[in-house]
Amino acid sequence: MDLERGQRSRAVKKQSWRSVLMLAYQSLGVVYGDLSTSPLYVYKSTFADDIEHTESNDEIYGVLSFVFWTLTLIPLLKYVFVVLRADDNGEGGTFALYSLLCRHGSFGFLPSGQLADVELSAYKKKDSTASGGGAAASIVKRLLEKHHALQLMLLILALIGTCMVIADGILTPAISVFSAVSGLELAMSKEHHKYVEVPITCLILVCLFALQHYGTHRLGFLFAPIVMLWLLCISIIGVYNIFCWNPHVYRAFSPFYMYNFLKKTQRGGWMSLGGILLCITGSEAMFADLGHFSPLSIKIAFTSVVYPSLLLAYMGQAAYLSQHHIIQTDYRIGFYVSVPERIRWPVMAIAILAAVVGSQAVITGTFSIIKQCSALGCFPRVKIVHTSSKIHGQIYIPEINWILMTLCLAVTIGFRDTKLLGNASGLAVMTVMLVTTCLMFLIIVLCWHQSIFLAACFIFFFGSIEALYFSASLIKFLEGAWFPLALCIVFMIIMYVWHYGTIKKYEFDVENKVSINWLLSLGPTLGFVRVRGIGLIHTELVSGIPAIFSHFVTNLPAFHQVVVFLCIKSVPVPYVHPQERFLVGRIGPKEYRLYRVIVRYGYQDIQKDDLEFERDLVCSIADFIRSEGSKPSGLAEETDKDDGQMTVVGTGLRIHEEKVEAEDAPGPSASREILSPVIAPKKQVRFLLPRSPKIKEEAKEELQELLEAREAGMAFILGHEYMRAKSGSSLIKRMAIDLGYEFLRRNCRGPMYAFSIPHASTLEVAMIYHVVFSVAWFA
């Protein structure tokens, strides 16, 4: 018996490790595509203009020493051993850190927050505790909650990191493909290859972006083998160059060579750090793509495959260059010069494929972070297409795709130089890493409850290294580094204006909502002729009646027999469990047939299509009626004083639709199914009820009426708003709302798209908002 148990435990363990290793293998094509192609351009960018390659080899040994310690300290020590632990329920990235921080204090960025959101299973994460850290966490938390300026700085910091990720999504495909194609320079003169290099790069980029709508899942099975082949290739070439040209190149790992390098080159060596830092481009992807894999699989892939392969590649290039001092021209000090001539063309073909894979991963990551920002109200609504029904997170955003392609082609044609592209990419990469380091300081204190001293040591050690590289990149502002900064400013304005306008619009809705007592004074008919059907009134309010509803009361002669105030909102968690998605409440007495439904989505959730959403919505209301009817006394309805009693329903009911003949309609048997009346052979709608609870007759009648309304059809009523700043507002506020926010609102997707609502079932009502500004722009 014990023997059998031991065999089963070993089988489970073996299967577990098999799945981890499979994830580690798959992560090579998704996570490490960008990082693995960095040997193509690091040495070329470093030796461009700032330093020279002399016969003493002090420069090449110093650069190799910097590369080794940078790869060891940033990707290995910082990300693998520290940052990967700061996941938000399995999700990583800049906005995941910000979302996690906001849940540990009352300084969130979503105005529609509710106490019920805190009860979500994904809202609170098990915190690491340590002695002496609780007091520090309380101090930092009170400081952030007290000062609005600090909350604003935290939001801006997260937006800066997000904007730089978008900039990296533009620059990485350009520099990766351009560097891979640069192998052509060894087959032709320098005057001619630039006329071939740029067109071929642009052609590959156009094809790459044009194929995005097919989704990476169709070619995803090729990604990992390509990157694996590329890493194997550069490892073998590196080992060959080490043993063939300089077996003692490993001595450059000593920190002495870094000191000697800076002492000899001085200002030129410091400026060359902008090229050295390119060896860690793509390190942020280990954390950003955490949701697609497990931390253990990412660690195994990096430590066992990626890290040693990159070290061998850089050592091999350094060994070759240490014995070839006659190479003087900047374009002949790149990667391909160290590749044996017999295999140069096959290696270039593999490099181009690896560059495309790395670019694909960065583009997909850009789509993901824009989706997160849009879900959390920090980016205008865009069309999001899920390209895979099996692999979560594989999305395509048409508008963003073509914007990225246009900017990527523009920067490729405009710079036409690896050095300029490297300066721009380096600044974007280091900015994202600095933002992550700053946010990690708060994570260590607030979420992990460690001491401020430990958090200060973290930010001082890694922040000083990254600040050194950041300064080396910033000094090259006029040599390409201006591009990510300009791009960051543009996206920052777009995102902040949209966020600011969204907050002000919600505040205006709250201040001008209709009194529930006024609504109840109209009586059960609400002043209408109640006709069959369900009317879904879209609102962003989580409590109260939107002002738009008063327009229906005063201008429409009839309305639906069932009225649902529908609020679809995002919560600062990656995913919401389907059993916790719906919050349902009643407005007024039961005979009014007024309901409030709040549908909660996480920033990584996939919103369902209209048919599935409609079915789940009706089931949630029916389940609320059933649960209310099975209790001795009903739940209290919403009033002005008690505005927000909602019930989490798990849609225990199921809808069954089938074609039933009139004579086949089942009678009042023990099947516990409620059917709508059968008039002719047509599709029938039935609620499949659980057998355990006893439902009151009154609840059965309400369920019957809901079924009849659902069978008659649904109509979605959406408000079409126009926002205007109040007269007397400052020029900046008028420009932000009247020009900025309104321009973005008119040119982005409307709320109707977010719910996949057919136009035939939609009624839009216009309304003008005159926003009252009581808060200063940067207060």
Side-chain angles (χ1 to χ4, degrees), residues 78 103 121 136 203 250 389 418 461 488 504 513 565-566 604 629 633-634 641 702 712:
K78 175 188 172 182
R103 297 207 308 273
S121 57
L203 179 63
Y250 66 90
S389 59
T418 306
F461 180 75
C488 179
K504 286 302 176 182
K513 62 184 180 181
F565 293 96
L566 177 65
Q604 290 283 51
S633 59
K641 294 182 180 180
E702 193 172 357

Side-chain angles (χ1 to χ4, degrees), residues 160-172 274 277-278 281-282 284 421-436 469-470 473-474 480-485 487-488:
I160 289 175
T162 302
C163 293
M164 283 301 183
V165 170
I166 299 174
D168 191 35
I170 295 170
L171 293 167
T172 294
L277 69 87
L278 296 177
T281 56
E284 188 73 19
L421 290 171
N423 294 338
S425 179
L427 184 63
V429 169
M430 292 316 303
T431 304
V432 177
M433 290 186 175
L434 277 172
V435 169
T436 301
Y469 283 119
F470 181 80
S473 298
L474 194 61
W482 60 269
F483 180 78
L485 286 177
L487 204 63
C488 179

Side-chain angles (χ1 to χ4, degrees), residues 642-654:
D642 187 15
D643 189 18
Q645 289 198 2
M646 308 286 291
T647 301
V648 179
V649 295
T651 61
L653 293 171
R654 291 180 294 115

